[in-house]
Amino acid sequence: MSVAKYYSRVVVLHCCAILLLLGSVLSGLRLALSAGRGDFFSAFNAYLPQGGMHGLHVSLGFAWCVLALIFVYHHWHAPARAASSTLAETWNRCLIHFARYLFLSLLILGGVLYFGGSAALDGWVLLLHRYFAYSAFVYLIVHALSQVIYSPWLQVRAILLPKLKVVRLVGWTFWLAVSLAAVLWLGSAWIMPYLTPQLRIANLALDQEIVIDGLANESAWQSAPLHIVKTLNIGANAAETPVTVQGLRQGEVVYFRFSWPDTTPSLQHLPLVKTAQGWRIEQTGLLRNDETQFYEDKFAVMFARAPDAAGAGSMLLGSQPLTGHAANRTGRGYHAAQGALLDVWHWKSVRNHGTNQLDDSHFAAAYPEVPGEIRYTAGYKSDPLQSGGYSENWAWPSNGIVTPKRLPRDPAQLARFQAAKPNDPQLVWGMSWYETLPYSSAADQYPVGTRMPSVLWTTMFEGDRGDVRAMASWHKGVWTLEAVRGIKTESPFDLALNEGLFMWVAVFDHQQTQHSYHLRPLQLHFEDQS
């Protein structure tokens, strides 16, 4: 290969690498900010890309793999060069060696994160990947400055201001790398179901009984196969929350058992407190949809027919990831399906208490906004409800004074809440609708400082929203949730629990919207039913 041809290719590969690096850093910063781990870069929030960043970031990783192979081939066929011991040459060689190991490490760490999970090694892999990425961006700046200082101007200009012919070649090479990466990505999507960890669901004899009580003390659970999913927390919480998942099939019914560690059960949900001016909601972030203190524990399960990373691509990041829709108040983003509907089971420790059910929900394409709605949730909706469920004990949330919808029939009902210990596992902050009366100022003679639950339970869900029976219990630092549903339902918002369906789980540790997550799903595998 001639020297001129070699350096033309150097220019092309450098330009492609710069484009990929910028795309990787910008999408990576969006991921870090949305996970509460990039506050230092929050000033650039408005300039970062938004939307399905997980898929983009992973596809750029595949493009890096393609470009790395091209670099190796190019280096292997480089023309012989005379050795030089000048300071400039020595410095550039050191930078090049550093870059090789840095980018190789980034690719390896990225592969570990993708195939081993975001919480690999208790989050240390993700931490290393992030700081190596920052180092790569710093390297880009140092390398550019070094070339300006030590290299001839014609060589620098060739990279910074390439000729039109080279620009076209850069474009073709870049799109070739992206196209090959897309082929690899599609190929991985085809092969991924065969590489996805399986949740083996054992058979349960028809004469055996599973009581949905959250205790999971039946012998069938002791022998059922289990799988531990390491979910990564966001924000300031610990690095990971491991979730143990088991399944049993009994004819046309499937039982699931989920358990996860939680040192303190959170059974409060936005209590009301009486002040000299009236009742106020105890909250620190409710109006921005980010309450993290006075909130119940929750758990979510999602099913999809596709194994795409990050909940089948349903995580859309940024303050306004959906063009033409309302901005997200938390700045982290929305959930919305990018194709087929996704089935979501949402258990809430206070609002679902005593109903023996969870909220059957779904992710669809982003719904239109409803004028006057309290919170826009994009593609996340509960399944249709005919009657039953629960209600908040106010008409509209506010930082100021709110008027409760109802007061207890007997004021003594509130006595147990006044001296309650924090995180008391025996005290659930809710009241039955039928033990209350419509609010009246005459009946509101409660002293300042009185605390009252804001959740009003009515009856069990009637309709699609009540398709899943469930109950949970907390014991010695562990939540256990049992759930059961028919393999098929009549609801168009449910997915059949068939062989090969993909599953994700998420833990909400007294968080309104912040939850743990994992990139790659489990795949349901039913043992032979014969």
Side-chain angles (χ1 to χ4, degrees):
M1 182 189 298
S2 67
V3 174
K5 191 174 183 180
Y6 171 78
Y7 277 107
S8 293
R9 292 185 177 181
V10 167
V11 172
V12 171
L13 293 175
H14 270 74
C15 292
C16 291
I18 290 170
L19 291 174
L20 286 180
L21 182 60
L22 289 175
S24 299
V25 169
L26 292 175
S27 60
L29 284 176
R30 172 59 68 195
L31 293 174
L33 281 174
S34 297
R37 289 179 163 85
D39 291 344
F40 181 77
F41 297 96
S42 58
F44 303 100
N45 182 52
Y47 308 102
L48 298 177
Q50 303 186 73
M53 290 298 103
H54 290 91
L56 174 62
H57 199 67
V58 171
S59 62
L60 288 172
F62 279 99
W64 271 113
C65 292
V66 172
L67 195 65
L69 292 175
I70 297 174
F71 258 111
V72 170
Y73 175 84
H74 173 74
H75 179 73
W76 188 263
H77 291 84
R81 298 175 62 187
S84 175
S85 59
T86 66
L87 177 63
E89 287 288 339
T90 302
W91 170 252
N92 280 329
R93 279 199 300 271
C94 290
L95 281 178
I96 290 171
H97 283 300
F98 173 78
R100 288 172 182 168
Y101 292 116
L102 175 63
F103 284 95
L104 178 61
S105 299
L106 274 169
L107 289 176
I108 292 174
L109 291 170
V112 171
L113 288 173
Y114 184 63
F115 291 101
S118 299
L121 296 180
D122 200 26
W124 281 102
V125 174
L126 181 62
L127 185 67
L128 287 173
H129 184 75
R130 184 183 315 122
Y131 284 107
F132 277 31
Y134 296 160
S135 300
F137 195 71
V138 172
Y139 164 78
L140 174 65
I141 298 173
V142 173
H143 182 61
L145 290 175
S146 298
Q147 294 301 311
V148 170
I149 294 171
Y150 292 117
S151 296
W153 165 243
L154 290 177
Q155 181 178 334
V156 175
R157 191 184 67 177
I159 297 175
L160 299 181
L161 300 171
K163 296 179 181 179
L164 181 61
K165 181 179 179 180
V166 176
V167 170
R168 290 173 179 167
L169 188 58
V170 168
W172 280 110
T173 305
F174 179 75
W175 288 116
L176 176 62
V178 171
S179 299
L180 290 174
V183 170
L184 287 174
W185 173 251
L186 293 174
S188 72
W190 176 78
I191 200 174
M192 195 55 66
Y194 302 99
L195 301 178
T196 299
Q198 291 186 336
L199 174 64
R200 292 172 50 225
I201 299 178
N203 294 318
L204 181 66
L206 295 178
D207 60 353
Q208 289 186 273
E209 182 181 12
I210 298 291
V211 179
I212 303 300
D213 54 10
L215 300 178
N217 52 10
E218 292 84 0
S219 59
W221 288 125
Q222 313 311 313
S223 57
L226 60 83
H227 192 94
I228 298 176
V229 180
K230 292 186 176 181
T231 67
L232 182 71
N233 294 323
I234 69 173
N237 291 341
E240 69 173 48
T241 298
V243 179
T244 301
V245 187
Q246 292 177 282
L248 295 167
R249 176 175 178 174
Q250 189 177 53
E252 295 303 305
V253 170
V254 181
Y255 295 87
F256 290 101
R257 173 185 177 270
F258 308 96
S259 61
W260 63 96
D262 187 349
T263 55
T264 55
S266 301
L267 299 173
Q268 289 189 58
H269 180 76
L270 304 169
L272 293 168
V273 60
K274 184 72 174 290
T275 70
Q277 293 76 35
W279 293 91
R280 290 181 182 271
I281 304 171
E282 289 192 280
Q283 55 89 24
T284 59
L286 174 64
L287 299 188
R288 61 177 184 274
N289 307 136
D290 199 21
E291 179 58 39
T292 60
Q293 183 173 348
F294 299 98
Y295 218 80
E296 65 193 325
D297 285 335
K298 301 190 294 179
F299 185 81
V301 186
M302 195 196 81
F303 298 98
R305 296 191 180 99
D308 298 354
S314 64
M315 296 174 67
L316 307 180
L317 306 183
S319 58
Q320 196 159 14
L322 295 167
T323 303
H325 292 276
N328 180 266
R329 294 173 185 167
T330 68
R332 288 190 298 272
Y334 289 119
H335 283 291
Q338 301 306 291
L341 179 138
L342 311 174
D343 196 357
V344 178
W345 297 358
H346 202 172
W347 169 78
K348 304 165 184 177
S349 63
V350 176
R351 285 172 286 178
N352 293 144
H353 178 76
T355 63
N356 208 29
Q357 293 172 306
L358 51 70
D359 272 83
D360 196 359
S361 308
H362 62 274
F363 294 155
Y367 287 97
E369 298 163 55
V370 177
E373 65 183 343
I374 294 175
R375 174 189 168 198
Y376 178 64
T377 57
Y380 168 53
K381 294 286 184 182
S382 297
D383 290 359
L385 176 68
Q386 296 175 1
S387 64
Y390 51 81
S391 172
E392 306 284 6
N393 196 11
W394 58 71
W396 196 269
S398 169
N399 269 329
I401 302 302
V402 297
T403 300
K405 292 178 182 177
R406 303 179 74 83
L407 293 173
R409 288 179 181 271
D410 181 359
Q413 289 177 239
L414 298 185
R416 65 185 185 276
F417 300 108
Q418 307 317 307
K421 297 178 180 179
N423 305 310
D424 183 349
Q426 306 302 320
L427 184 60
V428 182
W429 283 67
M431 301 186 297
S432 169
W433 179 282
Y434 306 102
E435 294 178 346
T436 62
L437 294 170
Y439 177 85
S440 69
S441 55
D444 189 1
Q445 301 301 316
Y446 293 93
V448 171
T450 299
R451 302 179 78 206
M452 178 170 63
S454 69
V455 176
L456 298 171
W457 300 306
T458 55
T459 59
M460 294 178 64
F461 294 129
E462 296 290 341
D464 293 0
R465 192 168 169 181
D467 284 337
V468 185
R469 290 196 295 120
M471 186 170 286
S473 67
W474 182 90
H475 181 65
K476 293 184 178 179
V478 176
W479 274 111
T480 299
L481 171 67
E482 291 180 293
V484 59
R485 202 203 78 181
I487 290 179
K488 296 181 180 180
T489 73
E490 300 299 321
S491 173
F493 299 98
D494 290 339
L495 297 181
L497 302 175
N498 290 330
E499 175 77 19
L501 193 67
F502 298 99
M503 169 197 281
W504 287 260
V505 296
V507 175
F508 298 70
D509 187 9
H510 64 272
Q511 309 276 347
Q512 184 181 4
T513 53
Q514 295 186 36
H515 60 79
S516 68
Y517 71 96
H518 55 112
L519 291 180
R520 297 182 60 225
L522 294 178
Q523 188 174 31
L524 303 189
H525 172 65
F526 294 92
E527 293 185 349
D528 187 8
Q529 297 294 302
S530 60

